[in-house]
Amino acid sequence: MIELEGLPELVDPVLIAAFEGWNDAGEASSGVIAHLESAWKAEPLVALDPDDYYDFQVTRPVVEMTDGLAQSIVWPTTRLLRARPPGVERDVVLLRGIEPNMRWRSFCDDIIYVCRELGIELAVMLGALLNDSPHTRPVPILGGATTEGLARSTGLELSRYEGPTGIVGVLQHAFGKAGLDAISLWASVPHYVAQPPNPKATLALLRRLEDVLEIPMPLGDLDEEARAWERGVDELASQDSEVAEYVKELEERKDAAELPEASGDAIAAEFERYLRRRDRDTDS
């Protein structure tokens, strides 16, 4: 069991977690944690012992260089950091990890143990998957929750996926068995442009995270980066007639499937988000 000493007392903390690897298409979900860690100036809390969970021939340590000299070895691991968003009366714990190579159940036990010690009762797991979504349309965000009531209260569109899962799915299940609330948010990344980064998917996860937690998320330059990314993919697609035709087919399929959502709840949710941001900008 992981040893914890000198942990601070947190105020109504919530966990936001993402893992590099199988759960992280386009590095969209790990990009959220990296963005928040920087924007909120998060401070380290604790790290899991990498010897327990990583095969270093599969997930190799990295040499950091300074002035051309080997300075240190960075071992693959999972770290938890503390942040206090400006103007928010609660703490956020960011979990920045790499999907473990072994002992997943013990890994989940360690994470839950740390969360209990920190007083965390709600976790939001982030993931990103490859899908046949066109890059020109809003990024679909699917979700999961440990209870139906939690799903309803957060307005999640639940995934009906059955099949192989990663550490995000396993950890959410472990939270539920431990009696803790957990939500997962999954961004759909176009499979034909899977290489990272994908700022549009990262931005979509941040906006959905803001809705679920009712905590203002710092977007920084992500809006412009997302637009630039989409323009770049447009240009690449236009250079290949088969790709352009395929994207057009995906757009038509997507538009036909989501036409009924163009009114009602979808428009209301977007308008409420706009009003919240306008009020915050006015107050500041």
Side-chain angles (χ1 to χ4, degrees), residues 36-91:
L36 294 178
E37 180 182 346
S38 175
W40 286 340
K41 298 179 173 58
E43 300 175 348
L45 281 173
V46 66
L48 274 61
D49 187 344
D51 287 349
D52 293 337
Y53 302 115
Y54 296 97
D55 179 344
F56 300 134
Q57 290 182 321
V58 177
T59 307
R60 291 187 177 271
V62 176
V63 178
E64 283 193 344
M65 307 292 290
T66 301
D67 298 327
L69 301 175
Q71 182 72 12
S72 62
I73 300 291
V74 178
W75 296 93
T77 190
T78 292
R79 297 178 173 85
L80 289 88
L81 307 99
R82 173 195 186 181
R84 174 62 69 90
V88 176
E89 297 302 318
R90 73 185 305 185
D91 288 301

Side-chain angles (χ1 to χ4, degrees), residues 124 126 141-142 151 154-157 185-186 202-214 217 273:
V124 182
L126 304 179
I141 303 292
L142 296 178
T154 51
L156 287 176
E157 178 186 351
L185 301 175
W186 289 85
T202 294
L203 179 63
L205 281 171
L206 276 168
R207 285 177 166 159
R208 193 67 183 93
L209 194 58
E210 180 175 80
D211 292 341
V212 168
L213 295 180
E214 298 183 346
M217 295 291 156
R273 182 185 295 116

Side-chain angles (χ1 to χ4, degrees), residues 1 5 10 64 82 101 106 139-140 143 147 177 196 204 230-231:
M1 182 64 72
E5 293 183 4
L10 305 184
E64 283 193 344
R82 173 195 186 181
N101 303 119
S106 296
V139 177
T147 67
K177 289 187 67 176
E230 186 170 331
R231 289 194 298 269

Side-chain angles (χ1 to χ4, degrees), residues 155-168:
L156 287 176
E157 178 186 351
L158 293 180
S159 170
R160 300 299 179 187
Y161 172 78
E162 292 182 337
T165 189
I167 194 61
V168 170

Side-chain angles (χ1 to χ4, degrees), residues 37-264:
E37 180 182 346
S38 175
W40 286 340
K41 298 179 173 58
E43 300 175 348
L45 281 173
V46 66
L48 274 61
D49 187 344
D51 287 349
D52 293 337
Y53 302 115
Y54 296 97
D55 179 344
F56 300 134
Q57 290 182 321
V58 177
T59 307
R60 291 187 177 271
V62 176
V63 178
E64 283 193 344
M65 307 292 290
T66 301
D67 298 327
L69 301 175
Q71 182 72 12
S72 62
I73 300 291
V74 178
W75 296 93
T77 190
T78 292
R79 297 178 173 85
L80 289 88
L81 307 99
R82 173 195 186 181
R84 174 62 69 90
V88 176
E89 297 302 318
R90 73 185 305 185
D91 288 301
V92 175
V93 175
L94 303 175
L95 186 154
R96 187 173 186 176
I98 302 171
E99 185 174 65
N101 303 119
M102 51 198 174
R103 303 188 185 95
W104 282 24
R105 285 176 290 188
S106 296
F107 179 87
C108 292
D109 289 343
D110 271 359
I111 296 298
I112 290 171
Y113 172 64
V114 175
C115 288
R116 289 195 187 279
E117 291 296 305
L118 292 171
I120 291 169
E121 297 181 352
L122 172 65
V124 182
M125 322 288 183
L126 304 179
L129 50 84
L130 297 178
N131 207 331
D132 57 356
S133 302
H135 72 279
T136 53
R137 297 297 185 264
V139 177
I141 303 292
L142 296 178
T146 47
T147 67
E148 290 188 8
L150 182 60
R152 286 194 299 271
S153 67
T154 51
L156 287 176
E157 178 186 351
L158 293 180
S159 170
R160 300 299 179 187
Y161 172 78
E162 292 182 337
T165 189
I167 194 61
V168 170
V170 172
L171 186 56
Q172 178 184 317
H173 179 73
F175 263 78
K177 289 187 67 176
L180 300 175
D181 287 337
I183 295 165
S184 61
L185 301 175
W186 289 85
S188 295
V189 172
H191 65 84
Y192 57 88
V193 56
Q195 66 270 26
N198 188 320
K200 185 172 181 178
T202 294
L203 179 63
L205 281 171
L206 276 168
R207 285 177 166 159
R208 193 67 183 93
L209 194 58
E210 180 175 80
D211 292 341
V212 168
L213 295 180
E214 298 183 346
I215 294 175
M217 295 291 156
L219 302 183
D221 296 328
L222 278 173
D223 264 319
E224 178 54 37
E225 291 173 9
R227 287 192 292 268
W229 176 86
E230 186 170 331
R231 289 194 298 269
V233 179
D234 284 343
E235 184 176 346
L236 290 173
S238 68
Q239 297 171 7
D240 188 317
S241 59
E242 290 186 0
V243 173
E245 184 63 29
Y246 178 64
V247 172
K248 182 180 179 182
E249 179 185 333
L250 291 179
E251 290 172 339
E252 292 173 350
R253 191 187 311 166
K254 183 75 171 176
D255 293 345
E258 296 193 347
L259 186 61
E261 297 183 11
S263 59

